[in-house]
Amino acid sequence: MMKLTDLLKNLEYRRIKGPEDAEVTEVVYDSRKVTKDCLFICISGANADGHDFAEQAVSAGARVLVVEKEVEFSPEAEVTVIQVADTRYAMAFISAAYFKNPADSLQVIGITGTKGKTTTTYLVKSILEQAGRKVGLIGTIEVIIGETHIHANNTTPESYLIQQYFRQMVDAGCDTVVMEVSSQGLMLHRTQGFVFDFGIFTNLEPDHIGPNEHKDFEDYLNCKGMLFKQCKVGIVNRDDKHWEQVTAGHTCALETYGIETDADLKAENLQLRSGGGSLSVAFAVKGLLNFQAEIAMPGRFSVYNALTAIAICRHFEVPEDAICKALLQAKVKGRIELVKVSDEFTLMIDYAHNAMALESLLSTLKEYQPHRLVCVFGCGGNRSKLRRYEMGEVSGRLADVTIITSDNPRFEEPQAIIDDIKTGIAKTDGSYVEICDRKEAIAYAIEHGEPGDIIVLAGKGHEDYQEIKGVKYPMDERDLIAEVLAEKA
């Protein structure tokens, strides 16, 4: 049992009804999970409003309601009603108190930006673990607590879940947590209730603008900037043209990194390296640190990710050799993930599932001057046809060979999606093959691989399923590759 006053101690609130010293058994924000003597927080969501379920929650035994507007229930009900300005903001602080403020026992690293968050979190985890720290991770793909991997539904979970994960990490012996911080998470106050030790900004491009997201680019930018009013040390990519706007009004100490500008930490003399089925970039670290490094991932954007991780890990006094070792072992599921199938050509899996991401990826790979650049991809069903046209046009323009296949057809016919992609390719001189079955498409790519080729399997990335007619069937491209190689052998 916990006293209500202890849960509310860091909040401004008004008691509408009932005793302020009520005792509660647990904190709940889903009306379906209300239990006797719990505290129920009424959250206004995109699809439902918890305030509409207040009477139901009281009938189910809720002892306390936390609200931001008036609610209806029986006047005889023995319930305490607390009113706050914003229940999402309040939930973050209530959750932190409920789980006994676990962030106080962790070094918390938060990474925001349009691209690079996922890869950088894994790089930081890898580097810090090389130095002997025990690191938890919260991100787009998964939550990692010790040996436990939990599938993620949101890049940045609800504040209650964040605090629950923090508590589990502390109990599992973690001393550090690195997490992706989305603009949505900041806008919805999911990261309130604690202070980040380090807040990082990677880059900013127009994204997540529309219904239930951000009304415009300025709103998106401003939400990203909220991180630098919630952290002790801010580390930002000075090469991004928005960095000054994002950090405007910051309350933290500020450091910069970059390749182009006069940043505190720089990467210089970039050298692309390839061979034996692998791609990497070597570079010199200059400024706050000085040493030679190499990242076992391709392209300039991989250097940015590496530099971000180095800038963070500098504060943990990680030895340079540990940083270098971790960068060479770097691997993130579904993010330019190299899969060794041959010494003669390179094969990789990447999540690029829109035209902007695919263009960035293929342009980067062309810099390695491959014998041929082969792109295997499809598009999701029941989604914009424009994406199919655009991705077809990008692959037709940049890849030497495109192998069009199926992605998640959902409730559409795979062939109809393929035909839309072909409409985009037809605007270019690019050659293509269409193979509807994804395993057969991958097998074709591997069997026809030539020395010096780079083959990209785009669109699925970390996903381990294929959605057809409302059913998700197991399908992991790593397994498909292994099956193809076994059958070939």
Side-chain angles (χ1 to χ4, degrees):
M1 299 284 280
M2 289 194 74
K3 279 198 174 295
L4 177 60
T5 47
D6 291 335
L7 295 174
L8 300 175
K9 63 184 176 183
N10 291 317
L11 284 171
E12 291 184 8
Y13 62 90
R14 187 162 69 96
R15 182 176 61 83
I16 303 296
K17 180 185 188 303
E20 212 166 313
D21 61 351
E23 292 198 333
V24 299
T25 51
E26 62 178 326
V27 172
V28 176
Y29 63 96
D30 183 336
S31 60
R32 296 166 296 185
K33 297 179 180 178
V34 168
T35 56
K36 188 176 185 321
D37 293 332
C38 75
L39 178 151
F40 176 58
I41 306 171
C42 298
I43 300 293
S44 299
N47 301 312
D49 188 341
H51 295 81
D52 296 337
F53 300 94
E55 187 171 14
Q56 178 185 317
V58 172
S59 299
R63 184 73 187 85
V64 177
L65 296 178
V66 177
V67 303
E68 62 186 29
K69 54 190 176 185
E70 284 189 23
V71 292
E72 293 183 2
F73 51 84
S74 170
E76 290 81 36
E78 292 186 6
V79 61
T80 296
V81 181
I82 300 294
Q83 186 174 38
V84 295
D86 186 315
T87 49
R88 281 192 174 278
Y89 182 86
M91 180 164 73
F93 286 89
I94 290 169
S95 299
Y98 177 64
F99 287 105
K100 298 182 169 53
N101 299 297
D104 292 349
S105 302
L106 294 164
Q107 289 274 293
V108 186
I109 303 161
I111 302 174
T112 198
T114 306
K115 295 189 295 188
K117 297 189 298 294
T118 300
T119 299
T120 305
T121 54
Y122 282 88
L123 287 177
V124 170
K125 185 176 191 295
S126 178
I127 293 171
L128 292 180
E129 286 178 341
Q130 284 282 349
R133 299 189 75 91
K134 190 161 184 182
V135 186
L137 183 146
I138 300 174
T140 301
I141 299 173
E142 61 187 345
V143 176
I144 304 175
I145 304 169
E147 299 301 314
T148 303
H149 293 247
I150 304 164
H151 175 74
N153 293 317
N154 299 100
T155 296
T156 306
E158 289 288 1
S159 58
Y160 177 92
L161 283 175
I162 289 176
Q163 294 296 336
Q164 184 178 52
Y165 292 146
F166 282 179
R167 170 46 56 197
Q168 290 170 350
M169 288 174 186
V170 171
D171 292 346
C174 293
D175 49 46
T176 310
V177 55
V178 56
M179 62 183 288
E180 295 183 51
V181 182
S182 67
S183 54
Q184 283 284 95
L186 289 160
M187 180 175 73
L188 298 174
H189 306 306
R190 291 174 182 167
T191 57
Q192 290 288 352
F194 65 96
V195 176
F196 288 94
D197 292 282
F198 303 95
I200 292 85
F201 167 67
T202 60
N203 51 63
L204 197 68
E205 293 178 10
D207 200 5
H208 302 293
I209 296 166
N212 297 330
E213 292 191 284
H214 300 285
K215 60 182 180 180
D216 53 33
F217 182 69
E218 186 176 1
D219 181 53
Y220 179 51
L221 185 152
N222 289 338
C223 285
K224 291 287 189 192
M226 291 169 70
L227 179 60
F228 300 99
K229 300 178 181 70
Q230 297 177 33
C231 69
K232 297 174 185 175
V233 177
I235 301 173
V236 301
N237 176 6
R238 190 169 177 170
D239 290 356
D240 189 275
K241 64 182 179 181
H242 304 289
W243 79 271
E244 288 179 301
Q245 290 170 278
V246 168
T247 57
H250 66 87
T251 56
C252 58
L254 211 59
E255 295 177 6
T256 61
Y257 67 92
I259 299 173
E260 303 291 343
T261 51
D262 189 22
D264 297 322
L265 190 73
K266 290 192 70 176
E268 297 179 351
N269 304 323
L270 276 59
Q271 297 175 349
L272 305 183
R273 294 180 176 176
S274 61
S278 67
L279 303 172
S280 65
V281 194
F283 58 96
V285 180
K286 300 286 186 181
L288 293 170
L289 294 171
N290 290 277
F291 61 94
Q292 290 293 130
E294 184 174 353
I295 174 79
M297 292 178 174
R300 190 182 185 85
F301 57 78
S302 294
V303 177
Y304 276 113
N305 293 339
L307 201 56
T308 311
I310 293 168
I312 295 165
C313 294
R314 183 183 77 85
H315 289 272
F316 292 81
E317 298 182 351
V318 180
E320 291 171 6
D321 60 341
I323 292 176
C324 292
K325 184 178 179 182
L327 292 178
L328 283 172
Q329 294 175 347
K331 194 170 188 177
V332 182
K333 188 176 182 180
R335 300 303 199 273
I336 47 177
E337 178 187 353
L338 296 169
V339 181
K340 185 68 177 287
V341 298
S342 169
D343 286 330
E344 295 193 326
F345 60 85
T346 302
L347 183 142
M348 70 177 64
I349 297 171
D350 192 80
Y351 190 49
H353 60 291
N354 59 43
M356 183 175 72
L358 190 64
E359 175 139 21
S360 173
L361 175 65
L362 297 182
S363 297
T364 292
L365 297 177
K366 282 184 81 70
E367 292 178 5
Y368 283 83
Q369 300 181 337
H371 169 61
R372 296 183 310 166
L373 180 55
V374 181
C375 182
V376 182
F377 84 98
C379 286
N382 302 103
R383 299 291 188 269
S384 169
K385 287 195 173 195
L386 183 62
R387 175 178 289 189
R388 303 169 194 176
Y389 304 148
E390 290 175 343
M391 288 185 72
E393 188 173 350
V394 166
S395 188
R397 177 164 46 85
L398 294 174
D400 296 292
V401 180
T402 299
I403 302 173
I404 314 171
T405 187
S406 184
D407 192 292
N408 290 321
R410 298 187 176 90
F411 290 95
E412 285 193 69
E413 288 301 320
Q415 189 60 49
I417 300 171
I418 288 172
D419 290 342
D420 286 335
I421 295 170
K422 285 157 61 178
T423 300
I425 288 186
K427 296 180 181 179
T428 73
D429 297 325
S431 63
Y432 67 87
V433 178
E434 55 180 291
I435 304 173
C436 193
D437 183 275
R438 199 167 183 104
K439 180 181 173 181
E440 288 179 19
I442 293 170
Y444 180 90
I446 292 173
E447 287 163 10
H448 291 81
E450 298 178 8
D453 280 357
I454 297 177
I455 301 170
V456 182
L457 311 183
K460 294 295 291 176
H462 60 276
E463 291 180 356
D464 56 5
Y465 63 87
Q466 187 172 43
E467 188 176 344
I468 304 170
K469 305 284 190 217
V471 179
K472 287 185 176 180
Y473 297 92
M475 192 193 77
D476 188 315
E477 288 188 317
R478 295 147 206 81
D479 296 336
L480 297 185
I481 293 166
E483 289 169 16
V484 167
L485 294 177
E487 289 164 12
K488 187 180 176 184

